[in-house]
Amino acid sequence: MWTSLSLWLTVTVICTTQQIGYISAEEFPEDAALDSIGLATKYGHPPIQYNVATEDGYILAVYRLPGKGKRPPILCTHGLMDSTDTFLIRGYTSLPITLADRGYDVWLANTRGNRYTRRHQHLDPDTDPAFWNFTFHEMGVYDLPAIIDLVLNETGANNLTAIGHSQGNTIYYVLGSEKPEYNSKINVLISLAPMAYVHNTPLPVATIIKLTPIITTLVKDLGLHELLGDTTALGRIAHTLCSVPVIGYTICAYGLLYPLVGSDPTELEPEFFQNLAPHYPGGSSIVSLLHYLQVGYRKTFAQYDHGSEINQKMYNSSEPPVYQLARVTMPIALYTAANDGFSSLADVQLLRGQLPNVVYYLLSPRLICNHVDYVWGQTVSYYLYPFIDIMLDRYNPL
């Protein structure tokens, strides 16, 4: 099977590369070639870059869009295999650009392991497998505290508003559970596509979760560490293939993305997808993906399961510790969608019942809103932003 898959991928890349040779540069949108700094600058907010070091040595790129007024700081955190690009790729209608236009002090965080954070004080991501030995747990325990402290120190604010997408919410649940002193530093967490439990995911994600032991063994046997990074073979294939007009959209959107996140082609039109493809995926660790699969397979929102022997050494228990969501006392607004292939309504309701301070719950008025529409949707400013404003106005009054 793997030989056939490799052959198919090789042929696909060769054919794609040949087709790209016949495509003029003018056919590719300008934004496809811009990084986060270039995108923010193009749309009116040249960012300030900060490089913050975590307690365990990772160096994270954080971007600040100071806005045009004196509104409180807002911190945006991205999802798995993603980067700050995701929040800017819609240009003028992107959420951070919209908020900065209104005068908010917007901060965009890159968590460890993506294209902007493949850096460490001692470890080389290309030669040291230890660099990739992290999951969303380390992002919540190390990355978020370092970033939050940076924002509060630079702004002089007592707390901030957090806006997370997907994994960008998971890490706050970890933070509030493991470092409860940080709860008071978040005046509200706006959770877009909340991710914690993955017990009730639809097909095909449910099938992938059932294969967790096989996938874990395969990853170990193949010695895989980085997940779809820019320099990995699969990462290069994804960026190359998905950038091709028509063919890329058909294969990558209809063949790969929509079956996983939920189909909504009118919100993710072909022209935009060609623009998006070079930016996503942005890379992460394979272990981070395995951690989510474990949560679904073990039916427990807990720390990473290394196996009973290693667990005993790390946790002083044969089982990994369960995250204590009762400690997550920060105000949280949950924004859900009925067509979300990862964050199902049933799982969000399970999370809602465990969190002690849910202050708002929204089921998207767009019936086919999927997992990525929150950040990539063509008309998201109409059906989502007004409901985000409700929380912003409540917790950030002028």
Side-chain angles (χ1 to χ4, degrees):
M1 182 184 73
W2 293 106
T3 302
S4 299
L5 177 60
S6 299
L7 178 60
W8 179 83
L9 289 173
T10 301
V11 172
T12 299
V13 172
I14 292 173
C15 293
T16 301
T17 304
Q18 291 296 318
Q19 178 166 345
I20 290 176
Y22 295 103
I23 300 173
S24 65
E26 290 78 11
E27 291 185 67
F28 287 96
E30 177 187 358
D31 290 5
L34 297 177
D35 60 10
S36 285
I37 292 176
L39 288 168
T41 300
K42 177 180 176 179
Y43 294 105
H45 295 277
I48 303 169
Q49 178 173 342
Y50 297 82
N51 295 312
V52 58
T54 66
E55 184 181 335
D56 58 343
Y58 288 80
I59 302 172
L60 314 176
V62 180
Y63 304 114
R64 181 184 189 181
L65 284 56
K68 299 175 181 177
K70 295 183 178 180
R71 302 295 293 268
I74 295 177
L75 176 62
C76 300
T77 50
H78 60 77
L80 178 66
M81 296 186 294
D82 215 341
S83 72
T84 49
D85 294 356
T86 202
F87 286 110
L88 299 165
I89 199 63
R90 272 296 178 183
Y92 288 116
T93 61
S94 296
L95 183 58
I97 300 298
T98 301
L99 295 175
D101 283 344
R102 296 178 187 173
Y104 283 101
D105 187 5
V106 183
W107 296 70
L108 306 176
N110 287 289
T111 52
R112 63 184 63 195
N114 72 22
R115 63 169 52 91
Y116 301 119
T117 53
R118 293 179 84 258
R119 294 182 292 167
H120 192 278
Q121 292 174 335
H122 308 295
L123 301 173
D124 184 339
D126 295 318
T127 59
D128 296 324
F131 177 93
W132 301 102
N133 189 25
F134 63 81
T135 77
F136 57 72
H137 176 84
E138 285 73 22
M139 297 176 194
V141 171
Y142 297 117
D143 293 6
L144 267 186
I147 295 168
I148 291 171
D149 288 347
L150 168 70
V151 174
L152 298 183
N153 288 337
E154 290 292 321
T155 63
N158 294 321
N159 52 46
L160 57 81
T161 293
I163 300 178
H165 175 245
S166 191
Q167 180 184 260
N169 298 304
T170 313
I171 57 180
Y172 279 98
Y173 309 147
V174 171
L175 174 70
S177 171
E178 299 300 300
K179 292 193 170 184
E181 65 272 19
Y182 275 85
N183 282 292
S184 63
K185 299 184 180 184
I186 312 299
N187 60 37
V188 66
L189 168 62
I190 298 174
S191 289
L192 309 178
M195 288 292 295
Y197 298 103
V198 282
H199 302 355
N200 300 283
T201 53
L203 298 173
V205 177
T207 301
I208 296 172
I209 288 174
K210 290 180 180 179
L211 297 174
T212 297
I214 297 174
I215 295 172
T216 302
T217 300
L218 184 63
V219 165
K220 291 180 179 178
D221 289 347
L222 294 177
L224 302 177
H225 304 289
E226 186 175 3
L227 179 63
L228 292 172
D230 291 344
T231 63
T232 65
L234 287 179
R236 290 194 298 268
I237 290 171
H239 293 310
T240 303
L241 174 62
C242 299
S243 295
V244 178
V246 183
I247 293 177
Y249 186 71
T250 301
I251 295 175
C252 299
Y254 279 96
L256 296 174
L257 183 67
Y258 293 151
L260 295 174
V261 305
S263 181
D264 192 3
T266 58
E267 277 295 273
L268 304 172
E269 70 280 15
E271 296 80 9
F272 170 73
F273 201 84
Q274 186 184 0
N275 198 359
L276 169 71
H279 296 276
Y280 187 86
S284 187
S285 72
I286 287 183
V287 185
S288 219
L289 173 61
L290 294 179
H291 197 171
Y292 276 115
L293 296 181
Q294 282 187 2
V295 170
Y297 187 78
R298 300 178 69 252
K299 303 293 184 184
T300 307
F301 183 47
Q303 294 188 40
Y304 191 78
D305 185 3
H306 298 273
S308 57
E309 184 175 341
I310 297 178
N311 288 345
Q312 194 67 47
K313 295 177 181 178
M314 290 189 63
Y315 309 130
N316 199 30
S317 169
S318 60
E319 297 290 327
V322 175
Y323 292 113
Q324 301 300 312
L325 291 177
R327 297 177 182 170
V328 187
T329 57
M330 67 184 75
I332 296 178
L334 300 173
Y335 293 70
T336 70
N339 189 35
D340 193 325
F342 284 136
S343 179
S344 70
L345 294 181
D347 285 332
V348 174
Q349 287 294 347
L350 181 58
L351 173 64
R352 185 182 184 184
Q354 296 295 314
L355 294 170
N357 196 13
V358 174
V359 296
Y360 188 75
Y361 175 86
L362 175 74
L363 175 60
S364 174
R366 181 177 177 81
L367 296 179
I368 58 172
C369 178
N370 66 21
H371 191 71
V372 296
D373 281 346
Y374 299 93
V375 288
W376 297 344
Q378 181 175 206
T379 63
V380 70
S381 59
Y382 297 104
Y383 63 83
L384 178 65
Y385 291 4
F387 296 101
I388 292 178
D389 288 341
I390 292 174
M391 289 295 100
L392 294 179
D393 292 341
R394 181 186 300 181
Y395 289 94
N396 297 285
L398 286 174

